[in-house]
């Protein structure tokens, strides 16, 4: 049996083409020239056939992927009988010694998947294909930087590519030292978990025998899933941080033209369009049947959908109810003086989209209070020596996290989320708190899990570790998932107060300002007290003023006397 890697052929000068349909599944028998996937570039749709007949044993792409020429599509296994008369020259032959293994994690970097592994007895070297590791989502993410070139020698841990989702940037490191023999991707394209990145030639001794490693690899995967079930819960109702297309995005008030009843396809089920276009149409709320397809055989293309939405937007609100937001005029600022125009990172743009979505769809209320942290500050400073000995740093933040966890336990609504389109409320029996971190790449929110069960020292160590990982772009997707509440501290940077935007699907967020000594009337005289300004923004669909007031009062009480945290 021989395995053939099917790759994307010349796609007519386009940089990338989108997979709009996958025509086969793993296990399918395919004939030579049988279509495997349909690609759609900006110029054309094309069906990519199998070079050989055999069994599909691996599918390396999914609908919505953007592929460049040379990208790996699938692996087809042929028998000797299959091969008779077949021209194998166009397919890349991979011997049968394949294994799917979870690579050795490099420091805190994501664990890298290596597929198929081949060994060459003649050269004393082996080749492995490094694939996109577990990124915590089925969605595609951007490949923003290619850090290697063909023929380059890399050492274990060297960054191969940098991926960027809506929540973070992530380096994919080389799982072993070796030489880059093939690059399957280019900067600017989108990739998903399992997509091949590079083919790496490594010394044979660095490669363990597939048969020995298979069980170990499987058990590593099993352990990972056991250790972090959240990361395995793809498809759970909570959007993951890597969910790039916002699920509950602010509805564009599209009011499509009336359907003619004779087409019998109001839901678009009889329209000719690929799944990616259908998905986009669903997200826009556009009935496909209303869109005129300009692709081959009337196929509805993405551009047709965009044109339709644009037409509806331009025709204004006259066709239906619901406001249409007026567009901002585009201004040429250079008319007023010299300017520099720079591209925004995808993370910045997606953060902007998420902020706007939350701002427009969540009725926000922000409630303010000051916590008297004079005693807490004395206590914290008295622990400085111990913090140094422990090699950690004790800022007010770990105390705030601990106090918030205690207050969340007794005010569970603040740690809930709307579910079933608003019909139900999901209370979380865990206390995971997100912590906004300001990084050069943008705003990221790593999550500290089970804060209620951790000591302030443990929390302090985790704050340091996660903030450092965030700044070094080493956070794993699982470390940014599952928060029920968020803390955003600008105390060290400045500003007395601000009104944070709720990080949906959470229902509340605490903004922390700079603590200052201020005069406080104690009944007889003004006394100097250290006050910490707090601002609790909440989703008024779920949290009422009373809920928020009780939470803030309890929080301030705990911060005023941390002994309350153990009551
Ligand atoms: N008031 C006064 N001083 C404060 C303070 C506050 N509320 N919070 C922290 N400080 C002090 C700390 O005590 C520390 O001083 P010392 O070394 O003398 O103790 C100093 O400020 C620096 O603190 P830090 O920033 O190193 O640590 P932190 O635990 O306060 O914060 C982190 C960690 C990761 C949250 C922070 O570095 C960060 O990124 N903050 C920005 C978050 C953000 O961008 N939020 C806005 C999101 S919406 O755009």
């Amino acid at each position: 049996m021989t395995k053939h890697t099917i790759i994307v052929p010349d796609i007519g000068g386009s940089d990338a083409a989108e997979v709009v349909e996958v025509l086969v599944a793993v296990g399918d028998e395919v004939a030579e020239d049988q279509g495997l996937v349909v690609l759609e570039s900006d110029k054309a749709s094309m069906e990519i056939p199998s070079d050989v007949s055999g069994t599909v044993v691996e599918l390396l792409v999914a609908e919505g992927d953007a592929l460049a020429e040379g990208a790996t599509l699938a692996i087809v296994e042929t028998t000797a009988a299959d091969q008779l008369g077949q021209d194998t020259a166009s397919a890349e032959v991979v011997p049968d010694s394949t294994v799917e293994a979870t690579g050795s994690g490099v420091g805190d970097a994501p664990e890298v998947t290596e597929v198929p592994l081949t060994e060459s007895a003649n050269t004393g070297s082996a080749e492995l294909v490094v694939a996109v590791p577990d990124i915590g989502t089925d969605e595609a993410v951007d490949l923003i930087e290619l850090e290697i070139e063909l023929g380059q020698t890399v050492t274990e841990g060297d960054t191969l590519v940098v991926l960027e989702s809506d929540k973070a940037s992530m380096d994919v490191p080389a799982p072993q030292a070796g030489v880059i023999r093939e690059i399957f991707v280019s900067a600017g394209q989108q990739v998903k978990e399992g997509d091949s990145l590079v083919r790496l030639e490594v010394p044979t001794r660095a490669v363990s025998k597939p048969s020995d490693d298979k069980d170990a690899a499987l058990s590593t995967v099993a352990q990972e899933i056991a250790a972090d079930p959240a990361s395995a819960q793809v498809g759970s109702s909570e959007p993951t941080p890597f969910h790039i297309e916002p699920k509950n995005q602010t509805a564009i008030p599209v009011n499509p033209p009336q359907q003619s009843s004779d087409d019998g396809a109001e839901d678009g089920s009889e329209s000719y369009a690929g799944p990616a276009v259908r998905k986009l149409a669903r997200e826009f709320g556009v009935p496909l049947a209303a869109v005129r397809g300009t692709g081959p055989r009337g196929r509805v293309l993405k551009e047709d959908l965009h044109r339709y939405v644009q037409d509806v937007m331009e025709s204004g609100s006259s066709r239906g109810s619901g406001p249409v937001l007026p567009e901002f005029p585009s201004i040429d600022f250079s008319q007023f003086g010299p300017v520099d125009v720079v591209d925004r990172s995808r993370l910045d743009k997606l953060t902007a989209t998420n902020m706007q979505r939350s701002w427009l769809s969540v009725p926000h209320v922000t409630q303010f209070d000051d916590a008297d942290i004079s005693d807490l500050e004395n206590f914290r400073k008295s622990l400085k020596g111990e913090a140094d000995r422990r090699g950690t740093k004790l800022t007010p933040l770990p105390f705030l996290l601990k106090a918030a966890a205690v207050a969340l336990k007794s005010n569970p609504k603040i740690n809930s989320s709307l579910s079933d389109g608003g019909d139900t409320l999901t209370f979380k029996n865990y206390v995971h708190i997100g912590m906004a971190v300001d990084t050069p790449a943008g705003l990221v929110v790593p999550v500290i899990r089970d804060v209620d069960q951790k000591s302030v020292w443990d929390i302090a160590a985790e704050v340091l570790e996660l903030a450092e990982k965030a700044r070094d772009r080493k956070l794993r997707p699982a470390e940014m998932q599952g928060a029920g509440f968020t803390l955003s501290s600008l105390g060290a940077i400045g500003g007395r107060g601000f009104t944070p935007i709720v990080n949906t699907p959470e229902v509340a967020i605490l903004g922390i300002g700079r603590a200052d000594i201020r005069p406080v009337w104690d009944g007889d005289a003004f006394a100097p007290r250290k006050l910490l300004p707090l601002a609790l923004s909440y989703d008024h669909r779920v949290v009422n003023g009373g809920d928020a007031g009780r939470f803030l009062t309890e929080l301030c009480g705990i911060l005023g006397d941390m002994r309350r945290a153990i009551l």
Side-chain angles (χ1 to χ4, degrees):
M1 293 225 253
T2 308
K3 289 183 174 168
H4 297 260
T5 305
I6 312 296
I7 57 173
V8 176
D10 180 0
I11 49 176
S14 296
D15 290 341
E18 187 184 341
V19 179
V20 293
E21 262 172 87
V22 177
L23 305 168
V24 291
V26 170
D28 281 1
E29 296 291 332
V30 291
E32 190 178 0
D33 284 333
Q34 181 178 334
L36 299 177
V37 300
V38 180
L39 297 186
E40 216 169 57
S41 73
D42 50 351
K43 300 191 176 68
S45 286
M46 66 203 102
E47 208 167 89
I48 309 298
S50 173
D51 297 310
V52 292
S53 60
T55 310
V56 178
V57 290
E58 254 183 273
L59 254 179
L60 301 165
V61 295
E63 282 157 14
D65 285 0
L67 303 177
E69 181 182 338
T72 313
L73 286 176
I75 295 182
V76 175
E77 193 172 71
T78 59
T79 60
D82 285 325
Q83 282 182 69
L84 281 177
Q86 280 181 1
D87 174 14
T88 53
S90 56
E92 207 181 312
V93 178
V94 180
D96 202 16
S97 55
T98 62
V99 64
E100 215 168 270
T102 303
S104 58
V106 179
D108 292 311
E111 307 229 340
V112 176
T113 309
E114 305 156 19
V115 291
L117 181 68
T118 75
E119 228 181 280
S120 157
N122 297 340
T123 58
S125 65
E127 289 192 339
L128 56 89
V129 174
V130 182
V132 176
D134 173 10
I135 47 176
T137 175
D138 283 344
E139 301 288 327
V141 298
D142 280 345
L143 192 157
I144 57 165
E145 278 169 42
L146 196 60
E147 304 239 332
I148 32 89
E149 39 187 59
L150 221 49
Q152 186 178 327
T153 302
V154 292
T155 54
E156 180 180 327
D158 279 359
T159 299
L160 301 174
V161 301
V162 181
L163 307 179
E164 189 176 72
S165 75
D166 56 343
K167 292 283 174 181
S169 299
M170 182 169 71
D171 294 357
V172 179
Q176 297 181 29
V179 179
I180 304 293
R181 290 296 176 214
E182 201 170 350
I183 301 175
F184 302 115
V185 287
S186 50
Q189 81 171 80
Q190 290 206 309
V191 291
K192 296 174 114 173
E193 180 181 342
D195 283 357
S196 302
L197 295 171
V198 299
R199 184 189 300 280
L200 191 65
E201 186 182 326
V202 296
T204 310
R205 67 178 183 287
V207 182
S208 20
K209 286 264 179 277
S211 54
D212 296 338
D213 262 1
K214 195 159 190 172
D215 288 346
L218 289 174
S219 98
T220 310
V221 172
Q223 279 165 19
E224 274 187 357
I225 291 172
D228 185 7
S231 68
Q233 285 170 3
V234 178
S236 71
S237 60
E238 184 188 351
T240 69
F242 269 73
H243 185 86
I244 287 175
E245 304 284 354
K247 259 187 182 165
N248 306 317
Q249 66 189 38
T250 309
I252 299 173
V254 173
N255 301 300
Q258 289 298 307
Q259 299 298 302
S260 63
S261 53
D262 57 358
D263 65 14
E266 293 198 7
D267 62 353
S269 58
E270 290 176 22
S271 297
Y272 184 37
V277 172
R278 289 183 183 280
K279 180 166 173 262
L280 192 63
R282 274 197 304 278
E283 285 171 359
F284 280 152
V286 170
L288 261 184
V291 184
R292 195 174 65 84
T294 61
R297 287 174 286 142
R299 186 186 187 92
V300 178
L301 307 177
K302 249 186 189 168
E303 302 83 81
D304 299 328
L305 207 53
H306 287 143
R307 201 174 307 113
Y308 176 86
V309 172
Q310 199 178 349
D311 286 351
V312 173
M313 295 293 281
E314 281 171 1
S315 67
S317 57
S318 58
R319 280 192 277 187
S321 60
V324 172
L325 293 175
E327 262 182 47
F328 291 108
S330 160
I331 296 172
D332 175 11
F333 295 100
S334 66
Q335 64 185 301
F336 307 120
V339 294
D340 289 321
V341 179
V342 295
D343 286 334
R344 298 184 71 190
S345 72
R346 183 157 173 91
L347 181 59
D348 272 349
K349 287 192 283 185
L350 286 160
T351 302
T353 304
N354 288 339
M355 292 292 176
Q356 186 175 26
R357 177 167 49 126
S358 284
W359 182 250
L360 290 174
S361 56
V362 172
H364 277 75
V365 175
T366 305
Q367 215 152 307
F368 305 92
D369 211 339
D370 289 325
D372 185 336
I373 57 166
S374 314
D375 297 341
L376 171 57
E377 279 296 86
N378 291 336
F379 179 48
R380 185 177 74 86
K381 283 176 187 153
S382 74
L383 293 169
K384 187 166 180 348
E386 190 176 341
D388 291 345
R389 279 197 298 284
R390 286 172 177 262
T392 192
K393 190 176 167 195
L394 208 51
T395 65
L397 192 59
F399 292 97
L400 274 150
L401 283 156
K402 185 73 192 176
V406 175
L408 284 172
K409 291 278 274 187
S410 40
N411 295 274
K413 224 188 209 185
I414 310 291
N415 189 25
S416 72
S417 282
L418 279 172
S419 34
D420 298 325
D423 286 345
T424 58
L425 202 55
T426 300
F427 288 94
K428 292 145 196 176
N429 300 324
Y430 51 82
V431 183
H432 303 339
I433 303 183
M435 163 185 90
V437 178
D438 181 41
T439 79
L443 180 66
V444 286
V445 188
V447 178
I448 303 183
R449 308 182 98 76
D450 300 313
V451 182
D452 55 323
Q453 293 165 35
K454 290 182 176 160
S455 72
V456 173
W457 288 120
D458 291 340
I459 299 168
E462 227 172 301
V463 166
L464 271 185
E465 185 194 331
L466 289 173
E468 193 178 315
K469 275 189 182 179
R471 291 184 181 122
D472 293 344
R473 301 193 304 197
K474 293 273 193 283
L475 281 174
R476 296 186 48 151
E479 291 172 314
M480 291 177 283
Q481 290 174 13
F485 182 69
T486 294
L487 251 59
S488 177
S489 173
L490 282 175
I493 298 172
R496 176 174 284 188
F498 62 106
T499 54
I501 295 178
V502 171
N503 193 13
T504 46
E506 295 157 37
V507 295
I509 179 170
L510 186 73
I512 300 150
R514 169 174 284 281
D516 266 327
I517 294 181
R518 277 181 270 155
V520 176
W521 185 252
D522 67 7
D524 294 319
F526 281 103
R529 304 296 295 175
K530 190 149 197 180
L531 300 185
L532 178 71
L534 302 176
L536 181 77
S537 291
Y538 53 88
D539 182 341
H540 208 350
R541 292 173 302 172
V542 177
V543 179
N544 296 325
D547 304 318
R550 278 184 287 276
F551 174 79
L552 259 186
T553 302
E554 180 170 352
L555 183 64
C556 290
I558 299 168
L559 292 169
D561 185 348
M562 278 305 287
R563 290 174 302 181
R564 289 180 180 280
I566 53 170
L567 288 181

